[in-house]
């Protein structure tokens, strides 16, 4: 199965996935948090997996079977491996442009030091690059890269791509307990991301069983700290905590609004007061969600914040 879905995505709306790597997992990383389990083949060598026409035919077939209401907002290269290992990626993207649906690519960014890879991605409309850390020993522990890769080259490739790419660029940082969730690590990672000028910086946690069972998501306090540090630098930041709340406005349902918004942005106490006012609710709603284990109250720089509880 090459094309699948569409599946709901908070970042992309309705996303039709494209797995341009065969089911055997071929990747340049073997991240300890990967939901696909251990890497089956370690590689940085690009190769042909599917012909671009085969990918196009699979997408066309699936588009023909879904209802008009399920038409995807994006065609997304999200593979069982690293999609940029596909030597035909650029050709496939250009061929899929004929459907007049925006193209997204989710990449670990490890091959962006290669100018051909960067060029292949230029026709995409939306690209997400992974930036879990900018510290070499932490990078090796979290991402477990192919031996031929060096962090300096990876970071330089990301910077070059960000400077030239005309589409929407976002970053994703997976926060792990005891690895990259301390203040110094968060400061250095956010400093690098700031140089990229992304449209949005996502802070994520593992929400499915990781490749290494001992891996744990960063705690709520450190997630909130990371959000505040990223935001103070001027980065438009969102959290990905595994909740796909679609409504982030004021719907009149205070509980749903609080849970939807706090899964994306920690709610400061004054923002919470305003939300409750607009939803004609009072603080007892917040207290109820805390008692039920759905919401947690945190403090950062003498201010109270509320974040959706995910453990």
């Amino acid at each position: 199965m090459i094309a699948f879905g569409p599946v709901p995505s908070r970042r992309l709306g309705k996303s039709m996935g494209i797995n341009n790597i065969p089911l055997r997992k071929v990747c340049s990383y073997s991240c300890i948090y990967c939901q696909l389990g251990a890497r089956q083949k370690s590689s940085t060598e690009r190769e042909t997996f599917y012909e671009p026409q085969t990918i196009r035919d699979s997408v066309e077939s699936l588009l023909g079977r879904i209802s008009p209401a399920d038409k995807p907002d994006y065609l997304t290269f999200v593979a069982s491996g690293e999609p940029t290992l596909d030597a035909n990626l650029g050709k496939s993207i250009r061929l899929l442009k004929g459907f007049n649906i925006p193209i997204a690519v989710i990449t670990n960014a490890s091959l962006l030091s290669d100018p051909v890879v960067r060029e292949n991605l230029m026709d995409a409309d939306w690209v997400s690059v992974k930036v879990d850390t900018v510290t070499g020993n932490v990078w090796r522990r979290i991402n477990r890269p192919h031996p031929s890769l060096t962090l300096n080259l990876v970071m330089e490739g990301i910077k070059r791509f960000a400077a030239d790419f005309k589409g929407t660029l976002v970053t994703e940082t997976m926060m792990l307990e005891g690895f990259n969730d301390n203040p110094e690590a968060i400061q250095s990672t956010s400093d690098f991301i700031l140089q990229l000028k992304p449209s949005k910086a996502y802070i994520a946690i593992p929400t499915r069983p990781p490749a290494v069972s001992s891996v744990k998501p960063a705690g709520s306090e450190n997630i909130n700290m990371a959000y505040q540090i990223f935001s103070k630098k001027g980065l438009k930041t969102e959290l990905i905590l595994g909740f796909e709340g679609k409504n982030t406005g004021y719907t009149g349902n205070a509980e749903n609004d609080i849970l939807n918004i706090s899964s994306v942005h920690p709610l400061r106490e004054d923002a919470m007061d305003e939300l409750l006012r607009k939803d004609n609710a009072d603080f007892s709603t917040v207290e109820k969600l805390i008692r039920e284990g759905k919401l947690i109250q945190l403090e950062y720089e003498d201010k109270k914040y509320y974040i959706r509880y995910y453990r």
Side-chain angles (χ1 to χ4, degrees):
M1 179 176 62
I2 299 173
F4 60 93
V7 295
S9 165
R10 200 183 65 232
R11 292 184 291 178
L12 296 171
K14 292 176 186 168
S15 169
M16 179 176 287
I18 300 170
N19 185 1
N20 61 325
I21 305 289
L23 290 180
R24 59 192 176 96
K25 184 185 173 188
V26 184
C27 199
S28 50
Y29 280 176
S30 185
C31 298
I32 58 176
Y33 57 77
C34 184
Q35 67 186 34
L36 299 177
R39 173 182 60 196
Q40 294 180 15
K41 179 182 176 182
S42 175
S43 178
T44 56
E45 295 296 322
R46 305 186 79 203
E47 57 184 296
T48 296
F49 297 102
Y50 297 110
E51 291 299 324
Q53 186 63 45
T54 302
I55 290 177
R56 187 197 181 282
D57 290 346
S58 179
V59 170
E60 183 175 44
S61 174
L62 184 53
L63 285 172
R65 297 196 305 272
I66 62 176
S67 70
D70 287 328
K71 180 183 176 181
D73 299 302
Y74 278 88
L75 303 177
T76 306
F77 284 86
V78 51
S80 56
E82 170 49 37
T84 62
L85 283 169
D86 179 5
N88 285 326
L89 178 61
K91 294 178 182 177
S92 296
I93 290 173
R94 289 191 293 274
L95 200 56
L96 292 174
K97 284 284 190 175
F99 292 115
N100 294 316
I101 300 171
I103 308 293
V105 181
I106 298 175
T107 173
N108 66 22
S110 62
L111 304 184
L112 290 180
S113 60
D114 183 343
V116 176
V117 173
R118 296 198 300 270
E119 182 61 31
N120 284 176
L121 290 173
M122 288 300 163
D123 286 322
D125 299 284
W126 185 99
V127 173
S128 172
V129 296
K130 181 193 299 293
V131 185
D132 292 334
T133 180
V134 294
T135 303
N137 65 324
V138 179
W139 173 66
R140 286 186 288 273
R141 290 173 63 208
I142 293 177
N143 300 130
R144 299 190 296 187
H146 186 276
S148 67
L149 294 171
T150 64
L151 182 56
N152 285 342
L153 277 179
V154 170
M155 291 170 61
E156 183 60 30
I158 295 173
K159 286 197 289 186
R160 290 189 179 189
F161 176 72
D164 294 338
F165 185 55
K166 305 304 181 188
T168 299
L169 177 71
V170 305
T171 62
E172 181 174 323
T173 302
M174 189 70 73
M175 298 294 296
L176 305 178
E177 183 178 86
F179 287 89
N180 61 347
D181 62 340
N182 60 76
E184 295 78 14
I186 294 167
Q187 289 283 1
S188 59
T189 300
S190 57
D191 282 341
F192 174 73
I193 291 174
L194 190 62
Q195 297 177 51
L196 308 178
K197 300 178 181 177
S199 296
K200 200 165 288 186
Y202 289 97
I203 297 172
I205 59 167
T207 57
R208 296 177 179 87
V212 176
S213 60
S214 60
V215 167
K216 292 187 170 100
S220 300
E221 294 84 357
N222 288 351
I223 290 291
N224 183 53
M225 176 177 61
Y227 180 90
Q228 305 305 330
I229 290 172
F230 274 50
S231 297
K232 281 190 174 182
K233 292 182 189 294
L235 290 166
K236 188 174 182 182
T237 308
E238 284 193 12
L239 304 179
I240 302 177
L241 303 182
F243 306 103
E244 291 292 341
K246 293 183 176 64
N247 297 314
T248 55
Y250 307 103
T251 67
N253 186 321
E255 288 193 18
N256 284 348
D257 287 346
I258 290 168
L259 293 177
N260 284 335
I261 295 173
S262 65
S263 70
V264 181
H265 303 284
L267 278 164
R268 200 169 65 187
E269 53 189 331
D270 55 345
M272 178 67 80
D273 290 341
E274 178 68 5
L275 185 154
L276 292 170
R277 185 186 67 78
K278 289 188 175 181
D279 276 342
N280 295 313
D282 57 36
F283 200 76
S284 64
T285 304
V286 176
E287 293 171 334
K288 176 176 178 287
L289 292 173
I290 292 174
R291 284 197 308 272
E292 292 174 348
K294 297 177 181 177
L295 195 71
I296 186 170
Q297 177 183 295
L298 305 167
E299 288 197 12
Y300 182 77
E301 294 188 345
D302 299 323
K303 291 185 174 62
K304 291 179 182 176
Y305 291 86
Y306 299 88
I307 188 171
R308 184 154 181 178
Y309 192 58
Y310 54 85
R311 283 192 176 181

